[in-house]
Amino acid sequence: MEQFDLLVIGAGPGGYSSAIEAAKAGLKVAVFEKDNVGGTCLNVGCIPTKYLLDKALAMDKIRNLTGDGIFKDAGLFSYKKIQAGKDAVVGKLTGGVSALFKANGIQLVKGEAALEKGCKVSCNGSEYEGKNVIIATGSHPFMVPISGVENTIDSTQALSLQQVPKRFCVIGGGVIGLELASAFASFGSDVTVLEMLPDLLPKELPEAVKVLKIAIKKHGLNVITGAKVLSAARNGAEKAVSYEKDGKTETIAADEVLMAIGRKPSLNGIDAKAIGLEIDKKGFISVNDKMQTNLEGVYAIGDVCGGYQLAHAAYAEGEVAVSNILGIAKTLDVSIMPRCIFTIPCFSAVGITAEQAKEQGFDPVVGSFNYQGNGMALAEGASGSVFVIMDRKTKTTLGIQIVGENASEMVSFASSEVANHTTLDQWEQKIVAHPSLSEMVKEAALDAFKLAVHKI
Amino acid sequence: MIKEIKMPSAGQTTDQATICSVNVKKGDIVKRGDILVEAETDKATLPVESFANGTVIDIKVSEGDTVDAGTVLMVIGDAADAASYKAEAVAPEAAAPAAPAVKEEDEYQPIDKNAAPVKKAEPAVSAAAPNEVKAMPNAKQLAKQNNVDLAKVTSANGGLIKKSDVEEFMKNSSVKVSDDEDVYAVEPQSRMRKAIAARMLQSCNEIPSFQISINIDMTGAIKLKNEVLDAFGVKISYNDIMCKALAVTAKEFPLLNARYENNEIRVCNHTNIGIAVGLDNGLVVPVVKHVDQLSLKDIAAANKANIGKARDGQLLPSDMGCGSVSLSNLGMFDVDEFTAIVNPPESCIFAIGSIRTEPVFKEGVFVPCSKCNVTVSFDHRMIDGSYGAKLLKKFKAYMENPSLLLF
């Protein structure tokens, strides 16, 4: 039986980054992957979605420029070529991960791994033993067993549709649903989003969510909240989604129906009962803040242990797990986890909302700044708003939420301010490059205390 | 040996032609010189003849297809060739992917959501294998132009839907009838119609033209015509005499031989004259070249040949578009006078009315005289009023005294 310092099950963002980090620290590492390296994020998640959204954004820009008469006509686009371009980028990135494995001496075992007692893994008939194991098996789309669920597609299938559906119905107004809805709206689909909850993104700042809702509606998304989906029927090529809203049953016709109501942990090869692994009520692997499971030497990171189902959450969790494996005690701080939704326009948030701040005993005050007051935004034709949540008493930064172009880039700047609890004085001393959208983050922070320069 | 029949070059201005009829079918035995396909360019209908004897093994075009010069239209050979050709053809087809390839143009759709979507091919057609096309391309086109659902059209011969089937359907169908009083039918435009439209619009847009009218005493010309008929048994037309008079006039007024091309006034060494020939479906202007070197007899023969070819649709592109002057004669329709539009890039066009008997005041009394009104439109970029007037004075003198043409 081959001996390793660390066995990693799954080569998604959490798994591959943990493996590389551990290998760089001198550990002997093997990674098991049944599919393509890169996991959901690289193959059927963030990256392909982002590729589609980037082209969608470019097309919106062209439409706007055409509307202004700067472009004479908008021209034609090929969705087939967008798909081909997407596949090329995915291929390049997954190839890059494989090269990193090779360069760091990590052994990649292709096949479905089974975790056994005592940090042992069997794969393709061979046994591997590690001092530690990281479970990073990820998640897969959860399909609610409504009547006619077979007439719906999951996000993986939606990403590789070979033609733009004329009518696109999305069940689930979460991150994945809204992102794909935004992309297809740009490509010309009539998009309807059905969300069961009474409002979108209930955990985020209501002011920011309101701005986002208006913006995505303008972008062409018909969002119906409080809609409980009953069935997805099929008549020839046409599908019909029935849902209940306010006690009434309605039906909408669609050419494709995406079900994006959430993701389930992937536990193939992890027989929790047999090995005594603790699973929480929702079916995710239970971990502590060091990413340790109840089993000695077994860690779990990423989507499989719930929490933020984000690639960068998995990266962060992987770092925590590897540090602890290396004997450096480290815990996960999720309070500074940036949250991005790549809608058009995109949304980002970090830290807490005003409501959460109240619950934690702060006296929150929300400053805001509209993109219309920013030179860069006007030059780019960008629109949106920045919100900064500060504590009235200590004048420290508690949370930042941004809706609008480049929100996902600005959130990194915002994250460090939240992490550092930046005070009003520090905000005032900050010099932000001009012209830039980031200026608005400072302005919004100052506005919390009515000190914004470019706001009446 | 397998022989490929290729699309010949259609002339200087275009290398594209639309196949308007395919006269043979697979398996037909053809001889050298048989007309296999007729193709329509913007100027003429071009018969494509077989250069070989044999059997038609494969037909690669159908009516309505647009082809470039050099495109293989048909494959001809003997029985052995047929067998070997099949073997050749099957191999690449089998290797081709089964999925129907999306055509390049179908692949693209407008970015502007409000723009008309790129129409997808009829599902039935796209689903079928390429060989199982249900309708001729020109039938599809006509159906599309008139919003006719091809599924409702039945083929007269039970096979492919042809253009005539669609026309028949449109005649019989009552879909067009509505309460709306402004009902109209869209007249399909032939290549010739489109070419005329484009040329005439170009003329009006680009050519600053002016007109000069003259009134010619045709007594001399009539006499000449009759004398030629009596002496040689040859029937010449007034157009022929005018051609001769023009060619002689051009010796003194070389701008009659000029063409305005590429912002240059290009004066030809010879006089090339076009005669407008009206057809049922349009108009062509075949040109007699080097009129200055031809006798009246030759001019008459050339014009006669051209007119015959024009009516039979046999004109070649090289027979047209190379003149500097055109004659348009509506005299036979009892037209007194009219103006014509300069045929670009020519310098002028002569609009000739009918010969009428008019009273002329001569030596104190009115005498009957055969008169003909000619209105000439000149391109002012090349010819000014006085030049035109002097030129016409000379032309009139030659027409009225044809014997001077001998000088």
Side-chain angles (χ1 to χ4, degrees):
Chain A
M1 193 186 291
E2 210 174 338
Q3 303 287 324
F4 289 89
D5 294 318
L6 175 63
L7 301 175
V8 181
I9 307 176
Y16 86 70
S17 62
S18 306
I20 293 168
E21 214 178 318
K24 279 192 192 294
L27 301 189
K28 188 184 175 193
V29 184
V31 178
F32 302 88
E33 175 57 57
K34 63 176 170 142
D35 214 327
N36 293 325
V37 294
T40 298
C41 168
L42 266 62
N43 290 289
V44 290
C46 330
I47 301 301
T49 307
K50 200 71 192 75
Y51 187 92
L52 297 190
L53 282 160
D54 176 66
K55 306 305 162 277
L57 269 172
M59 281 166 45
D60 282 349
K61 188 112 196 173
I62 290 168
R63 278 186 208 110
N64 289 340
L65 290 172
T66 310
D68 294 344
I70 292 170
F71 281 14
K72 185 158 173 270
D73 50 49
L76 305 174
F77 80 102
S78 162
Y79 186 65
K80 209 179 141 202
K81 290 220 160 55
I82 292 178
Q83 278 291 340
K86 181 204 80 183
D87 293 343
V89 166
V90 168
K92 202 171 174 180
L93 275 171
T94 53
V97 172
S98 298
L100 283 172
F101 278 1
K102 215 172 161 189
N104 287 290
I106 295 165
Q107 188 176 336
L108 176 65
V109 184
K110 293 279 270 197
E112 185 154 338
L115 179 64
E116 289 163 11
K117 277 186 181 167
C119 289
K120 279 182 200 147
V121 170
S122 68
C123 183
N124 303 332
S126 301
E127 295 262 308
Y128 303 81
E129 188 171 8
K131 289 179 190 144
N132 290 285
V133 172
I134 293 179
I135 304 172
T137 46
S139 63
H140 56 272
F142 175 48
M143 307 298 273
V144 200
I146 55 165
S147 147
V149 66
E150 68 277 7
N151 299 324
T152 65
I153 56 173
D154 63 20
S155 58
T156 305
Q157 291 166 306
L159 282 170
S160 50
L161 283 176
Q162 287 304 310
Q163 76 190 55
V164 178
K166 215 183 157 299
R167 296 160 300 180
F168 189 52
C169 177
V170 179
I171 304 173
V175 175
I176 298 165
L178 289 178
E179 289 184 0
L180 286 168
S182 295
F184 280 103
S186 281
F187 295 143
S189 298
D190 291 331
V191 180
T192 307
V193 178
L194 300 173
E195 170 56 50
M196 195 167 74
L197 295 175
D199 206 352
L200 294 178
L201 312 172
K203 287 181 189 164
E204 303 297 358
L205 187 73
E207 293 94 317
V209 174
K210 192 179 163 193
V211 173
L212 179 68
K213 279 195 291 187
I214 293 168
I216 59 175
K217 188 179 175 188
K218 197 175 155 206
H219 182 62
L221 268 58
N222 175 24
V223 179
I224 303 171
T225 51
K228 185 176 187 289
V229 173
L230 305 169
S231 67
R234 184 194 187 102
N235 180 16
E238 190 178 279
K239 286 127 196 168
V241 179
S242 297
Y243 63 94
E244 192 188 303
K245 182 178 162 77
D246 304 331
K248 275 187 285 184
T249 303
E250 312 257 357
T251 302
I252 48 169
D255 299 296
E256 291 292 352
V257 181
L258 164 66
M259 190 180 284
I261 52 125
R263 296 179 69 85
K264 269 207 313 205
S266 296
L267 289 167
N268 279 358
I270 316 282
D271 190 343
K273 258 191 197 154
I275 57 173
L277 181 66
E278 201 180 296
I279 302 287
D280 72 13
K281 274 181 250 163
K282 288 180 177 171
F284 295 101
I285 297 175
S286 300
V287 287
N288 61 16
D289 60 1
K290 291 178 174 173
M291 309 318 293
Q292 287 164 324
T293 67
N294 64 319
L295 298 179
E296 181 68 29
V298 178
Y299 294 74
I301 60 167
D303 287 6
V304 77
C305 54
Y308 287 110
Q309 290 184 316
L310 301 166
H312 55 256
Y315 285 133
E317 291 163 6
E319 271 176 51
V320 171
V322 172
S323 285
N324 288 303
I325 288 166
L326 293 170
I328 308 156
K330 192 172 174 182
T331 56
L332 183 71
D333 179 9
V334 294
S335 71
I336 48 157
M337 187 72 72
R339 311 178 290 275
C340 294
I341 308 177
F342 293 92
T343 36
I344 297 177
C346 59
F347 169 88
S348 69
V350 62
I352 53 176
T353 63
E355 200 181 312
Q356 289 158 344
K358 253 183 229 161
E359 285 165 10
Q360 293 177 24
F362 293 103
D363 180 10
V365 47
V366 179
S368 69
F369 197 85
N370 193 294
Y371 272 48
Q372 289 306 304
N374 176 266
M376 191 65 178
L378 288 178
E380 289 181 352
S383 62
S385 274
V386 179
F387 300 90
V388 176
I389 300 116
M390 311 246 328
D391 179 34
R392 199 187 302 275
K393 208 167 91 194
T394 58
K395 297 186 176 172
T396 53
T397 308
L398 302 173
I400 298 178
Q401 306 222 343
I402 307 168
V403 184
E405 277 85 343
N406 284 314
S408 58
E409 294 294 331
M410 283 188 275
V411 77
S412 298
F413 166 42
S415 290
S416 57
E417 305 311 324
V418 173
N420 293 332
H421 310 291
T422 303
T423 62
L424 178 62
D425 289 348
Q426 288 168 321
W427 273 115
E428 283 183 315
Q429 282 178 22
K430 231 168 247 310
I431 300 171
V432 187
H434 176 84
S436 72
L437 297 178
S438 299
E439 291 176 90
M440 292 187 288
V441 182
K442 178 181 173 180
E443 291 274 37
L446 297 183
D447 180 58
F449 297 94
K450 304 291 163 217
L451 295 171
V453 177
H454 299 93
K455 192 175 171 182
I456 300 161
Chain B
M1 205 184 90
I2 286 176
K3 293 153 191 110
E4 289 182 335
I5 307 293
K6 289 183 182 164
M7 181 67 202
S9 173
Q12 297 158 329
T13 54
T14 176
D15 265 338
Q16 276 212 330
T18 305
I19 303 296
C20 51
S21 72
V22 178
N23 301 339
V24 293
K25 53 186 191 301
K26 247 190 212 181
D28 279 3
I29 295 174
V30 294
K31 310 190 296 292
R32 200 184 152 94
D34 282 357
I35 294 170
L36 304 174
V37 166
E38 286 178 80
E40 192 184 43
T41 69
D42 56 349
K43 293 211 188 106
T45 305
L46 202 65
V48 180
E49 296 176 3
S50 177
F51 63 83
N53 298 333
T55 309
V56 177
I57 296 176
D58 194 8
I59 299 176
K60 297 193 171 254
V61 290
S62 46
E63 286 178 21
D65 285 0
T66 301
V67 293
D68 290 324
T71 306
V72 177
L73 305 174
M74 220 166 267
V75 179
I76 289 174
D78 57 27
D81 294 336
S84 69
Y85 178 77
K86 222 175 217 168
E88 274 174 36
V90 169
E93 265 175 37
V102 182
K103 268 197 198 164
E104 187 80 348
E105 61 262 38
D106 293 346
E107 188 188 312
Y108 289 91
Q109 54 199 91
I111 290 173
D112 181 358
K113 291 181 204 169
N114 297 326
V118 174
K119 280 211 178 136
K120 290 193 186 119
E122 291 273 313
V125 175
S126 64
N131 297 347
E132 298 172 30
V133 183
K134 279 174 66 190
M136 291 288 202
N138 56 357
K140 282 188 212 163
Q141 195 183 355
L142 181 65
K144 195 176 149 194
Q145 280 167 354
N146 294 285
N147 285 328
V148 171
D149 183 358
L150 272 178
K152 291 180 185 159
V153 180
T154 44
S155 167
N157 62 7
L160 300 185
I161 294 168
K162 289 190 179 144
K163 194 176 169 186
S164 56
D165 295 326
V166 178
E167 283 165 347
E168 188 65 21
F169 176 83
M170 282 161 59
K171 231 185 271 170
N172 299 333
S173 103
S174 53
V175 274
K176 292 235 166 203
V177 180
S178 74
D179 299 337
D180 193 348
E181 284 192 5
D182 298 319
V183 176
Y184 60 84
V186 177
E187 179 78 20
Q189 291 188 57
S190 64
R191 289 281 284 250
M192 188 195 287
R193 190 77 258 144
K194 285 180 184 165
I196 293 170
R199 291 288 284 278
M200 293 302 99
L201 186 63
Q202 182 199 356
S203 178
C204 287
N205 282 338
E206 291 178 5
I207 300 182
S209 71
F210 68 94
Q211 283 75 29
I212 301 178
S213 287
I214 51 169
N215 201 261
I216 301 171
D217 180 346
M218 293 296 280
T219 313
I222 293 166
K223 190 164 163 263
L224 173 65
K225 189 185 170 196
N226 292 333
E227 281 169 357
V228 170
L229 184 63
D230 288 345
F232 307 107
V234 177
K235 204 173 163 186
I236 59 167
S237 72
Y238 300 114
N239 284 349
D240 301 332
I241 301 171
M242 289 196 186
C243 282
K244 182 75 195 169
L246 261 174
V248 177
T249 309
K251 288 192 172 21
E252 208 174 316
F253 296 92
L255 286 177
L256 266 177
N257 295 344
R259 287 159 67 89
Y260 199 88
E261 288 176 301
N262 286 353
N263 287 326
E264 287 174 350
I265 298 171
R266 298 179 176 172
V267 184
C268 304
N269 294 334
H270 295 286
T271 308
N272 304 325
I273 303 173
I275 305 275
V277 182
L279 305 173
D280 290 342
N281 56 347
L283 162 80
V284 285
V285 189
V287 174
V288 177
K289 288 172 227 170
H290 297 191
V291 179
D292 51 312
Q293 293 177 325
L294 300 180
S295 68
L296 190 54
K297 183 183 158 196
D298 296 334
I299 294 168
N303 273 333
K304 201 178 165 194
N306 274 348
I307 292 165
K309 279 203 262 178
R311 298 217 162 120
D312 295 340
Q314 301 288 312
L315 283 174
L316 297 176
S318 58
D319 291 330
M320 290 173 283
C322 50
S324 62
V325 185
S326 287
L327 299 188
S328 178
N329 194 330
L330 293 181
M332 62 289 247
F333 302 118
D334 202 19
V335 166
D336 290 346
E337 57 181 273
F338 71 104
T339 61
I341 294 172
V342 179
N343 185 19
E346 298 179 354
S347 62
C348 57
I349 184 163
F350 281 59
I352 303 151
S354 60
I355 297 173
R356 287 160 289 130
T357 307
E358 284 176 10
V360 171
F361 197 67
K362 227 180 217 173
E363 292 163 8
V365 283
F366 281 104
V367 290
C369 180
S370 295
K371 292 281 229 175
C372 174
N373 203 90
V374 175
T375 303
V376 185
S377 301
F378 291 97
D379 182 343
H380 214 319
R381 293 175 300 181
M382 295 185 269
I383 293 175
D384 296 331
S386 64
Y387 189 94
K390 281 187 234 163
L391 171 167
L392 288 181
K393 190 180 172 200
K394 197 80 185 181
F395 172 73
K396 182 177 151 102
Y398 284 132
M399 284 304 293
E400 292 181 346
N401 304 288
S403 54
L404 296 179
L405 292 170
L406 296 170
F407 185 67

